[in-house]
Amino acid sequence: MTYATRIDRALERLHEEGRYRTFIEIERKRGAFPYATWTHPDGTERPVTVWCGNDYLGMGQHPVVIDAMHRAIDAAGAGSGGTRNISGTTIYHRELEQELADLHRKQAALLFTSAYIANEATLSTLPKLFPGLVIVSDELNHASMINGIRNGRCEKHIFRHNDLAHLREILAGLDPDAPKVVAIESLYSMDGDFGPVAGVLDLCDEFGALSYVDEVHAVGMYGPRGGGIAERDGLMGRIDIINGTLAKAYGVMGGYIAASARMVDAIRSYAPGFIFTTSLPPAIAAGAAASVRHLKTDRALRDHHRTQARILKMRLKGLGLPIIDHGSHIVPVHVGNPVKCKMISDRLLEDHGIYVQPINFPTVPRGTERLRFTPSPVHTPDDMDHLVGAMDALWSQCALNRADLAG
C-alpha cells in the first residue's frame, strides 16, 4: 500500500464516520460582529450570523482594543523581532504581563503565544523543577494539559471528572513526601460545567500539593473584574498557578500563566516552549492589554452576556431540545450522532445563514456529538428568534428526540 493510499484511507474513515472537518471561510466586518460574510463553495458571498465563536463578549471588535492595536503597530511595526530572550521583549509585553498579574492578584504573569502553549510548556516543565513530581489531573482536562503532563514524563494519575472523593483517594495513596500538582479546569467548555475549585484547593492543602487551574473559558467572563471563577469565588489567593487565554473573552490572541514571581521566573528560565518561541507582535500585546484593562471595569457587559445565555437556554429548553445547563455561558445542544450533527450544522448555514460548527470526536466522546452555541451581548432578539426557529424546524426534519436533559 502506497503512502498516498494510506492517507486517502485515513481521510475516508473520517468521512464515513461523519466527522470530517471543513473550514468555513468567513470575513468578519469591523463593528458588525456577530455578522460576517461567508464565501460559499460555489464562489458566491452570503451573509451569516456567527453563533459559535470564542470571542464571547465581542471584544475583538471593540474600539478600545482596535485603537490600541493601531497605535502600537504605528509605533513599533509588525513583528516583535525575536524571542523574549533575544530582542522580543517590548514595553507592550511588559504592560500586558503587569495587567494580567494585577487581574489575578499574583506577583507575576508570563505571556505565551497561546493558552495551549502555556499549558503544555508549564506542565511539562514542572517535573524539571520538582524531581519526583506526581501530577493528578481531571479526566476531562484540555488536550494541551494532557500533552504537557505526558511530555513531562513524570508519574501521573487521572481522577474521574469533578470527583473529589476519587481525587482524595489518589492523593491519600501517594508518597506523602513526593511533590504533587493537582491540575483542573475551572470551567469545562464542552458541557459548560464548573470544576469544584474550592474542594480541590482544600485537598491540595491537606495533602501538600500545588494547584494548577486552567481558567481559559472563565477569564474576562466571571468575577468582579473578570478574573474568572477563582475571583468570583474568592479563591485566587489559594491557587499556585493560573492559566488563562487572551483569545476568548478578551478577543485577541495569546495565553499566559499567573503565579508567584519565583514560579514565573523558573518557568521562564526552563520551559522550551517559552524560550524558543518568537514573542507575540507588539500590536497583539497592546490590544490584549487594552481588552484586559477595559473588562476589569465593564461589569455591565458581563451581566448582559449572562442574560443572553439564560434566554437562549430557556428558549431551546422550551422546544424540548436536550440542553445540559450547569449555569455557565456555554450552550451545548446534544445531538448524539455525528452524521446528523453535521447535517444540522450544514443546513443551518446553507438554508438559514447561521454558522455553528458541529463538535465531534475526538473533541468529545463518541455518542455525545453536539452543537455548541456561544451567545454574545451583540446578538439581537431577532438573531435569537431566527436561531430558535431554525433549530425547531431542523430538529423535526432530522427526527431527533425532544427531551429536556437540564441538570
Side-chain angles (χ1 to χ4, degrees):
M1 186 180 292
T2 66
Y3 291 110
T5 302
R6 291 177 187 272
I7 292 172
D8 289 343
R9 182 61 193 128
L11 292 173
E12 285 170 10
R13 285 197 299 271
L14 295 179
H15 283 285
E16 291 166 358
E17 295 172 10
R19 58 186 186 92
Y20 178 78
R21 303 182 185 205
T22 58
F23 290 143
I24 305 299
E25 182 182 328
I26 63 172
E27 182 180 357
R28 287 163 56 118
K29 304 293 185 182
R30 177 179 174 179
F33 181 79
Y35 311 116
T37 300
W38 169 44
T39 302
H40 190 274
D42 67 10
T44 61
E45 294 186 344
R46 304 184 186 182
V48 296
T49 303
V50 179
W51 278 97
C52 60
N54 282 336
D55 187 357
Y56 294 136
L57 300 175
M59 290 301 295
Q61 302 287 309
H62 199 288
V64 167
V65 175
I66 294 173
D67 289 348
M69 295 182 73
H70 275 300
R71 289 195 301 272
I73 200 167
D74 288 342
S80 69
T83 66
R84 288 292 297 276
N85 289 317
I86 306 176
S87 82
T89 295
T90 70
I91 186 174
Y92 302 101
H93 298 89
R94 285 299 187 201
E95 287 180 350
L96 175 53
E97 287 175 339
Q98 289 167 4
E99 287 287 351
L100 293 168
D102 172 76
L103 174 68
H104 295 290
R105 305 300 192 196
K106 296 296 184 186
Q107 293 176 338
L110 189 65
L111 182 63
F112 294 80
T113 50
S114 73
Y116 188 105
I117 298 299
N119 268 333
E120 197 283 331
T122 303
L123 287 166
S124 65
T125 297
L126 290 175
K128 300 177 184 176
L129 306 178
F130 307 105
L133 181 68
V134 180
I135 299 182
V136 187
S137 174
D138 188 289
E139 66 178 338
L140 294 189
N141 278 342
H142 281 128
S144 56
M145 299 172 75
I146 294 169
N147 286 342
I149 295 167
R150 180 184 297 123
N151 292 339
R153 295 186 175 87
C154 65
E155 181 181 343
K156 64 179 183 294
H157 296 269
I158 309 300
F159 67 95
R160 291 185 293 271
H161 179 53
N162 283 353
D163 189 334
L164 292 175
H166 191 211
L167 175 58
R168 168 182 283 280
E169 179 184 331
I170 292 172
L171 290 171
L174 299 177
D175 180 353
D177 295 327
K180 309 169 190 67
V181 170
V182 178
I184 65 166
E185 297 180 38
S186 67
L187 174 56
Y188 292 84
S189 65
M190 288 300 107
D191 280 332
D193 58 326
F194 297 102
V197 181
V200 168
L201 294 177
D202 289 343
L203 290 174
C204 287
D205 291 343
E206 181 178 348
F207 291 96
L210 294 175
S211 52
Y212 187 102
V213 179
D214 178 308
E215 290 253 41
V216 297
H217 289 281
V219 290
M221 305 293 295
Y222 299 87
R225 302 195 310 152
I229 302 304
E231 185 189 33
R232 182 196 70 179
D233 296 344
L235 301 170
M236 285 196 302
R238 298 179 59 194
I239 298 173
D240 294 296
I241 304 173
I242 293 174
N243 170 278
T245 185
L246 301 162
K248 293 182 169 60
Y250 293 117
V252 191
M253 179 185 177
Y256 64 89
I257 61 167
S260 69
R262 181 182 290 106
M263 179 68 77
V264 166
D265 192 25
I267 299 299
R268 177 189 70 83
S269 301
Y270 278 88
F274 176 84
I275 295 169
F276 298 107
T277 300
T278 297
S279 64
L280 287 172
I284 296 292
S291 186
V292 172
R293 193 178 305 118
H294 177 85
L295 285 178
K296 287 177 180 178
T297 61
D298 197 344
R299 298 184 68 168
L301 190 62
R302 284 192 285 277
D303 291 343
H304 187 195
H305 181 274
R306 283 193 288 272
T307 298
Q308 291 283 79
R310 282 196 298 269
I311 291 172
L312 181 58
K313 288 178 182 180
M314 178 183 67
R315 296 193 62 181
L316 293 177
K317 287 179 187 178
L319 298 176
L321 302 193
I323 306 290
I324 294 181
D325 184 4
H326 294 280
S328 73
H329 63 282
I330 306 296
V331 185
V333 179
H334 286 244
V335 179
N337 179 295
V339 175
K340 290 186 176 181
C341 193
K342 188 174 189 310
M343 183 187 306
I344 294 176
S345 172
D346 290 344
R347 294 273 60 81
L348 284 170
L349 186 62
E350 286 273 0
D351 302 340
H352 302 278
I354 293 170
Y355 176 34
V356 57
Q357 279 287 78
I359 307 295
N360 293 331
F361 179 85
T363 306
V364 295
R366 298 179 193 273
T368 69
E369 294 81 9
R370 68 202 63 184
L371 299 171
R372 178 180 175 273
F373 296 96
T374 53
S376 78
V378 290
H379 285 97
T380 69
D382 286 344
D383 293 333
M384 201 170 295
D385 287 344
H386 185 52
L387 171 63
V388 171
M391 285 293 291
D392 189 17
L394 288 170
W395 210 260
S396 296
Q397 290 174 25
C398 290
L400 290 164
N401 293 330
R402 295 178 186 257
D404 188 355
L405 300 182

